[in-house]
Amino acid sequence: MPSRTPPPTVRINIPTVNVSEAWAPTPLRKQRIFGTRLVRLYLPCVLILSLVTNIYYFTRPAPLALPATLSSQQSGAQMHREITDTDMRQLTDLVVVPGHGVYLGAGSPLDEANWYLQEQQRGEVGAFMAHVGKGIEMVKEHERALLVFSGSKTRLEAGAHSEALGYWTAADRMGWLTNDVFRRVVTEEYARDSLENVLFSIARFHEVTGNYPDRITVVGFEFKRERFVDVHRRALRYPRIRFNYVGINPPGDAARLVAAEKKNAYEPFSRDLYACEGTLAEKRRERNPFMLAHGYAKSCPEISALFDYCPKPASSVFDGDLPWLN
């Protein structure tokens, strides 16, 4: 029986196709291929740009900082003043605000963080600002008054900031130096204690006006009233009827403040009227870390003998001629 020849084998090549792609429409497949090419092309560029940016960020120079006086917001009145014209020779009254703490000139003067203070002065900034405000109020009410903020560069740690300039700057920051009083608010930047606050402010009044004051008002702590009225005024032989004192105390125990004042200032000044020896003279040296020297003896020759007066005994009152006695 003849053998049967098997039928020829037919091979069908079936291409392997991903199932998800098999059901994808043709346009979508083209888009995915195009997107992949874009990623491969631009990813290195993005990575390079990111690297360059990071290198610049960590190696860039520090930005320049504006001084606080420029970066802080100021009113138009402070930047463009139209100052009221004042004939300084017509001024008759002196208002003195002695300095205590040192306002450093940046930020709100109502914030203690912006002052250089000794530890015992914490909590007293409100009283300092009340003194400043009262002085401004008085010159606003009296058009023939001159306000003098008095106090030297008494603290080395505060740098070249004087107490007087700090008070003036604080008033300006508060917007109190309006055009009508701007010319009549000045500083006295050499006083190292309360006697010099009064004496040197009298000298500044003379430098500004050409005259000596007919009346004096001191604005300070109430617990210091007797020191100014009974001791300093007597040392300068200024008439009592023409000498006034406005007292504003800081918060705290008033009795304790009075007791400390009597022990540390009133009694020492009563024994040594012109602070020529002992603790008072030492305090003056300590409060002049920048070795400043005033020129009031030259600008005010009529009272030049007072500036270095040291009698024996130390409680003796100056008996020379003074312009406010005539």
Side-chain angles (χ1 to χ4, degrees):
M1 185 173 179
S3 60
R4 297 179 60 182
T5 303
T9 303
V10 178
R11 295 183 179 275
I12 301 175
N13 293 324
I14 302 175
T16 303
V17 179
N18 186 287
V19 174
S20 60
E21 290 182 351
W23 294 99
T26 302
L28 178 59
R29 295 176 64 185
K30 291 182 178 179
Q31 289 176 8
R32 292 188 61 177
I33 295 171
F34 181 73
T36 302
R37 290 176 178 172
L38 283 178
V39 170
R40 291 176 179 173
L41 177 63
Y42 289 108
L43 183 59
C45 297
V46 172
L47 292 175
I48 293 172
L49 180 61
S50 176
L51 178 63
V52 171
T53 301
N54 279 277
I55 293 173
Y56 170 76
Y57 179 83
F58 289 106
T59 60
R60 76 193 192 284
L64 293 175
L66 287 174
T69 52
L70 296 180
S71 59
S72 61
Q73 294 183 355
Q74 299 183 16
S75 67
Q78 290 174 309
M79 297 173 66
H80 305 286
R81 301 184 189 273
E82 295 179 359
I83 301 169
T84 302
D85 188 29
T86 303
D87 185 353
M88 308 302 279
R89 296 170 299 178
Q90 299 302 313
L91 303 184
T92 58
D93 286 36
L94 168 62
V95 179
V96 182
V97 176
H100 300 285
V102 182
Y103 172 57
L104 300 175
S108 170
L110 301 177
D111 186 349
E112 277 195 354
N114 300 321
W115 291 70
Y116 177 80
L117 302 171
Q118 294 183 291
E119 191 58 38
Q120 67 270 21
Q121 293 177 315
R122 300 291 175 186
E124 296 185 356
V125 164
F128 300 165
M129 293 304 296
H131 298 166
V132 173
K134 186 62 178 178
I136 296 290
E137 179 184 295
M138 294 181 72
V139 295
K140 281 182 175 290
E141 293 175 350
H142 188 0
E143 63 182 11
R144 291 196 174 186
L146 178 75
L147 171 58
V148 177
F149 293 125
S150 174
S152 188
K153 302 171 183 178
T154 56
R155 307 296 173 189
L156 182 63
E157 299 83 354
H161 297 272
S162 72
E163 296 169 350
L165 183 58
Y167 275 36
W168 188 99
T169 305
D172 196 36
R173 286 275 186 181
M174 296 298 292
W176 295 344
L177 295 183
T178 50
N179 297 339
D180 57 326
V181 300
F182 185 80
R183 284 281 285 119
R184 293 186 291 120
V185 181
V186 300
T187 60
E188 186 292 301
E189 300 186 73
Y190 293 98
R192 299 161 294 176
D193 60 30
S194 50
L195 175 63
E196 290 186 342
N197 285 141
V198 181
L199 176 58
F200 291 3
S201 293
I202 292 173
R204 280 294 287 140
F205 186 94
H206 180 72
E207 288 181 338
V208 172
T209 70
N211 304 308
Y212 290 96
D214 291 341
R215 285 167 293 276
I216 297 175
T217 300
V218 178
V219 181
F221 291 127
E222 175 61 33
F223 67 84
K224 294 184 179 182
R225 176 185 293 272
E226 292 184 358
R227 189 204 313 183
F228 280 88
V229 175
D230 297 340
V231 182
H232 297 334
R233 181 199 57 80
R234 183 167 66 90
L236 301 178
R237 294 172 63 204
Y238 202 88
R240 178 65 183 88
I241 197 172
R242 292 157 50 193
F243 192 94
N244 188 33
Y245 191 89
V246 176
I248 303 173
N249 265 345
D253 185 349
R256 181 185 60 81
L257 293 173
V258 169
E261 159 68 13
K262 183 176 181 180
K263 176 183 177 181
N264 299 322
Y266 181 86
E267 290 180 350
F269 269 113
S270 297
R271 296 188 297 267
D272 183 9
L273 284 178
Y274 303 94
C276 294
E277 53 193 39
T279 58
L280 296 179
E282 181 61 27
K283 283 182 179 179
R284 282 187 175 177
R285 285 190 289 270
E286 291 175 355
R287 292 174 179 173
N288 189 19
F290 296 98
M291 305 301 176
L292 302 178
H294 65 79
Y296 297 137
K298 183 175 181 180
S299 62
C300 306
E302 302 87 350
I303 60 173
S304 59
L306 275 176
F307 297 117
D308 296 314
Y309 185 64
C310 285
K312 296 293 183 180
S315 59
S316 299
V317 177
F318 179 80
D319 60 359
D321 189 33
L322 294 170
W324 44 84
L325 297 177
N326 298 328

